[in-house]
Amino acid sequence: MNRHLLAALGLGLIAGPALAADGIGAGLLKSQCIGCHAIAKPENTSLDRLWERKGPDLYYAGSKFNKPWLEKWLQNPVRIRPAGELYARHVKGGTKEDVVDESGMAPHPKLPKADAEAVAEALMALVAPAELVSKGAFKGEKVSMAMGGMFFGKLRGCGACHMAKPGFGGASGAELYTAGERLQGDYIYSYIKNPQQFDPRIWMPTLNLAEPDLQRLTGYILQLGATEAK
């Protein structure tokens, strides 16, 4: 091997294993993930595309997820949306209320540790443009859990679609009791502020919240997830 290359590797100037991991992760994304997920911004934003989508878009994953959570979840996936990506297909009438029918929902594949780490690395490189997720938008202020819970559940009705605790809340949206571990604050803030900017056909309503309320709701969701993770 060239002595200059050896010296560079010894000083850590060339990250051979990291580059290899990036290559493996990108390859796995293309070979195993694009059948269900968009890793580039879709040109087709039709309602038909949303209805046929099998998994969430990942082209902004690096601005959405926390890497340690990704690595852990990819090794042992647990359903985040209780009723699946398109809830209307997996809900049926029950004796007292609608219930989720899991028989038609395929489990997410499990990845070995090395593959999970490589895929997580590749996903974290998929960063959203600034107009989609504004870095530093969430100011990180702590909020009262009691007041945040009232705002989340009673004043804004978030519990109609989202679970704040396992088994408590709606099933049509993603559960939020692991959000503090799973999601980045700037993403939560940006998505609540304008969900249609991420997908013009998505059913998440634009709440038109004032800035203090956006900060409060984002902080509550992050603290809620952190509390449940303990």
Side-chain angles (χ1 to χ4, degrees), residues 176-194:
L176 295 177
Y177 49 83
T178 65
E181 183 184 11
R182 184 171 84 242
L183 302 174
Q184 298 179 33
D186 290 340
Y187 164 78
I188 296 174
Y189 172 98
S190 300
Y191 194 87
I192 294 173
K193 184 176 183 178
N194 189 358

Side-chain angles (χ1 to χ4, degrees), residues 134-165:
S134 178
K135 192 171 181 61
F138 175 57
K139 306 308 179 186
E141 298 178 8
K142 298 293 183 181
V143 300
S144 162
M145 292 301 287
M147 291 300 296
M150 182 180 296
F151 192 78
F152 178 93
K154 294 184 178 181
L155 299 181
R156 292 301 172 184
C158 305
C161 298
H162 301 278
M163 290 186 184
K165 294 182 179 180

